[in-house]
Amino acid sequence: MQKKFNSDRYDPLSTERDSLSRRHFIKGVIAAGTVAGAAGLMTGCSDNSNNSASSASVERLVTINVNGRSRPVDVMPNETLAHTLRNKLSLTGTKIGCDRGACGACTVMIDGVTQNSCSILTHTVRKGNVVTVEGVGGVNGQLHPVQTAMIEELAPQCGFCTPGQVVSGVALLQRNPNPTREEVRQALAGNLCRCGAYNNYINAIVNAAGSA
Ligand code: FES
Ligand code: FES
């Protein structure tokens, strides 16, 4: 049944008061966040006190090591590494396909181990060394042998999955310079390719083995 408007009970002043107090509350939240954030910037310390507003804001200011460089960055407590890399550090080689750990497009290395960066919170990698696809080549921009082999093999089709395939291939060759074809296939098992270019990627990494 439809509810009828009761003009006897309608109090325009009360509605205005509610709206004002809500606006006041929102202003207070924004001001508190700004002040706490500024305090964290000035002290640069990690205070684990019980003051939740203060500790949450201090945790946002972190330094992560990416591709051999220390990168200070302001991250939300629930922010994923993929988001930070792409949107805060402009490392857009890391792709986001599913954003839930299922496709491997966001693969990076953390301390030499491949991880789905969409499923890792940035503030948990403060002590790790992150390597993205931008960091696998030489310091002067030379391509990694895996990248060269993928070009020669014409492995990428649309290319969306390629950065993840590259990082998985490089990580494999770092721990196993001469893998079998089956070992390459297993190393790329977490990297989905909508274009179905799996054999091209496997061929490329087999060809790059020994020269990486
Ligand atoms: S975007 Fe991370 S696994 Fe798909
Ligand atoms: S090359 Fe298109 S998704 Fe792999």
Side-chain angles (χ1 to χ4, degrees), residues 30 67 83 89 105 108 124 136-137 155-156 171-172 178 181 191 201 211-212:
I30 293 171
N67 299 333
H83 179 86
L89 301 180
V108 298
T124 66
V136 299
L172 170 66
N178 286 297
R181 189 174 183 83
N191 295 89
Y201 287 116
S211 56

Side-chain angles (χ1 to χ4, degrees), residues 143-194:
L143 295 180
H144 188 280
V146 164
Q147 293 171 303
T148 306
M150 284 189 182
I151 293 168
E152 286 168 358
E153 192 63 29
L154 298 178
Q157 301 303 299
C158 78
F160 191 82
C161 72
T162 307
Q165 309 277 8
V166 168
V167 173
S168 290
V170 171
L172 170 66
L173 297 189
Q174 282 182 358
R175 64 176 189 276
N176 178 3
N178 286 297
T180 63
R181 189 174 183 83
E182 178 57 20
E183 285 169 334
V184 173
R185 198 183 63 75
Q186 286 178 14
L188 299 187
N191 295 89
L192 303 188
C193 176
R194 290 174 299 183

Side-chain angles (χ1 to χ4, degrees), residues 20-98:
L20 282 174
S21 66
R22 205 164 64 243
R23 201 171 300 146
H24 185 78
F25 170 76
I26 292 168
K27 266 176 148 177
V29 168
I30 293 171
T34 307
V35 171
L41 268 174
M42 284 191 292
T43 59
C45 64
S46 59
D47 175 8
N48 290 327
S49 71
N50 290 331
N51 184 332
S52 59
S54 167
S55 62
S57 60
V58 170
E59 280 180 9
R60 287 177 52 171
L61 300 162
V62 302
T63 298
I64 56 176
N65 188 300
V66 184
N67 299 333
R69 285 179 58 199
S70 288
R71 306 291 304 267
V73 62
D74 178 0
V75 299
M76 299 296 286
N78 61 348
E79 184 172 316
T80 65
L81 180 58
H83 179 86
T84 305
L85 292 171
R86 290 182 54 81
N87 302 318
K88 306 251 174 100
L89 301 180
S90 300
L91 293 168
T92 53
T94 298
K95 304 300 180 207
I96 297 180
C98 63

